[in-house]
Amino acid sequence: MKANIVVLPGDGIGPEVAAAGVAVLRQVAERFGHEFTFTEHAIGGDAIDRFGDPLPPATRDALLACDAILLGAVGGPKWSDPSAKVRPEQGLLAMRKLLGVFANIRPLKLHPRTAELSPLKPERTKGVDLVFVRELTGGIYFGAKTRSEDDATDECRYSVAEVERVVRHAFELARSRKKKVTSVDKANVLETSRLWRSVATRVAADYPDVELEHQLVDSMAMHLLTRPADYDVIVTENMFGDILTDEASVLAGSLGLSPSASVGGPGAGVYEPIHGSAPDIAGQALANPLGTILSAAMLLRHSLGLSDEAETIEAAVEDVLSQANLTRDLGGTATTHAVTRAVLDAVQAKAEAA
Ligand code: NAD
Ligand code: IPM
Ligand code: MN
């Protein structure tokens, strides 16, 4: 198959991990006889420096014309002055809105070796296999903002249609899994959450085979640490999903392991690790590339329909997690490049065995 993939390296460790994802995709293309074209474009702080715009027109045009998008990360102290008019993160949000990718899928699976690095005791994390469906193009991220000398506002708004489409996405996903949806909100305080809860309850009637439970976000943050194995699909609004997924990621040992897929729009999906640009380790070859490599696997599965190839990458990552020297966040001493090399070797071995 032929595919046109846009690569957005971004800032900090973004270019380091994006290069790892591209290397693995190139290897898969070669082994499985596909023709992938990779075109790099600017986003975030890098795009501000070069074009004065965190999502320049050339990047927008490429996003609208491609089959899939692989992103590193954006942001960093260089562009974080609170009085700055333009910020790297605006590029990311504008891209999500432009593509209409309202469903952000963030799976969390544990591997026996890295589970030992989890801050939780092994008996608490045993059997964890869950997936977040985070609403990605609405809520407080995209509401009107005001700022004066002595106050500021961020509006949080959700329409029934915005809630319904993402909740349906969660129910469809649950049907292919353990058939349980946990809808997370703050319905004891927020009007948007009461709307969210009523829509989720109504949608659930169309899925009698799937169990729905409602959970308030504050106690959810606690339950994720006390009984994470009880969850299957967790659906929530934009900001709650942002926060809970970083929290949940460490159950697997490191934020650097978590991939994501942003889908649901009419065009290309966006694939990126859930972590940020990690300015504290940028440029030192310390970044864990596995979250991005697993995002590349999601790209193959969700945007290109190549599930055998996706499974090959996931199995290769499993092997690397079991056997290889890992990056520092996972207790190892390996560089980004060495871990990427180990994945490439494992992909090669699997492709030859197949
Ligand atoms: P972060 O995710 O960049 O880093 C948090 C911590 O996790 C740091 O200690 C970092 O070293 C570590 N870490 C993250 N990814 C890692 C990896 N792959 N391997 C090893 N360690 C890793 O969060 P932050 O420091 O709060 O944010 C830094 C910048 O990133 C901010 O400008 C923020 O806006 C941006 N950000 C961007 C995205 C994105 O592009 N999707 C996501 C989150 C944050
Ligand atoms: C993420 C990031 C972004 C978000 C920021 C950088 C805008 O934290 O992708 O999780 O909050 O969505
Ligand atoms: Mn985040």
Side-chain angles (χ1 to χ4, degrees):
M1 123 175 294
K2 287 188 181 180
N4 172 9
I5 300 171
V6 165
V7 181
L8 305 172
D11 309 315
I13 63 168
E16 301 171 53
V17 295
V22 170
V24 173
L25 287 173
R26 277 192 201 287
Q27 160 112 349
V28 164
E30 198 180 303
R31 290 293 132 214
F32 289 80
H34 302 301
E35 215 176 293
F36 297 162
T37 310
F38 298 93
T39 319
E40 273 194 20
H41 282 277
I43 192 170
D46 167 51
I48 294 174
D49 288 353
R50 291 201 276 148
F51 305 101
D53 180 348
L55 195 70
T59 304
R60 287 174 188 261
D61 291 347
L63 295 176
L64 293 172
C66 70
D67 298 308
I69 299 145
L70 184 73
L71 171 87
V74 301
K78 183 176 176 194
W79 308 278
S80 296
D81 181 343
S83 65
K85 286 252 166 351
V86 60
R87 289 183 306 280
E89 292 79 0
Q90 291 167 334
L92 189 60
L93 300 182
M95 172 177 69
R96 292 170 179 172
K97 203 67 172 178
L98 177 72
L99 295 166
V101 286
F102 62 83
N104 180 222
I105 315 300
R106 297 185 163 189
L108 183 78
K109 249 194 187 154
L110 265 57
H111 185 275
R113 176 159 164 221
T114 52
E116 282 173 24
L117 301 162
S118 165
L120 294 192
K121 298 184 187 92
E123 61 265 30
R124 287 250 160 107
T125 55
K126 196 163 179 280
V128 170
D129 178 6
L130 56 84
V131 55
F132 282 88
V133 179
R134 169 191 175 194
E135 201 291 325
L136 201 63
T137 53
I140 201 166
Y141 277 62
F142 292 93
K145 298 176 190 305
T146 68
R147 178 72 185 268
S148 71
E149 276 289 276
D150 54 14
D151 79 352
T153 65
D154 292 283
E155 178 193 47
C156 184
R157 177 186 284 269
Y158 268 111
S159 69
V160 167
E162 283 174 314
V163 179
E164 179 158 350
R165 65 187 181 181
V166 73
V167 169
R168 279 197 189 279
H169 198 100
F171 273 94
E172 292 292 333
L173 187 58
R175 270 200 167 150
S176 67
R177 296 175 45 99
K178 290 178 276 176
K179 299 190 171 48
K180 179 175 170 185
V181 170
T182 304
S183 173
V184 178
D185 62 39
K186 186 75 184 172
N188 53 346
V189 177
L190 300 177
E191 208 53 56
T192 43
S193 281
R194 287 190 276 274
L195 177 100
W196 182 283
R197 193 173 277 220
S198 69
V199 172
T201 304
R202 176 168 58 75
V203 168
D206 293 340
Y207 298 86
D209 50 325
V210 179
E211 178 196 346
L212 169 67
E213 67 175 5
H214 300 284
Q215 186 74 55
L216 294 170
V217 63
D218 47 356
S219 54
M220 184 71 209
M222 182 270 293
H223 290 308
L224 272 175
L225 303 183
T226 52
R227 49 183 184 85
D230 288 357
Y231 296 97
D232 178 19
V233 177
I234 301 171
V235 63
T236 190
E237 63 98 71
N238 203 342
M239 186 151 81
F240 298 160
D242 178 44
I243 298 168
L244 292 177
T245 51
D246 267 34
E247 181 196 358
S249 76
V250 295
L251 302 179
S254 169
L255 175 59
L257 275 177
S258 282
S260 84
S262 302
V263 297
V270 182
Y271 301 86
E272 52 170 318
I274 82 162
H275 63 72
S277 59
D280 53 333
I281 60 164
Q284 300 172 52
L286 291 172
N288 184 344
L290 295 177
T292 309
I293 290 171
L294 289 170
S295 301
M298 293 182 88
L299 180 157
L300 294 173
R301 179 179 292 115
H302 294 282
S303 276
L304 306 184
L306 300 176
S307 41
D308 288 351
E309 289 81 342
E311 277 163 29
T312 301
I313 295 178
E314 285 159 356
V317 169
E318 290 257 315
D319 284 3
V320 166
L321 285 173
S322 311
Q323 292 153 19
N325 185 9
L326 301 170
T327 42
R328 191 176 70 180
D329 56 313
L330 290 172
T333 54
T335 61
T336 309
H337 184 259
V339 172
T340 306
R341 183 76 255 160
V343 176
L344 292 172
D345 290 345
V347 167
Q348 169 89 6
K350 294 199 179 292
E352 273 166 16

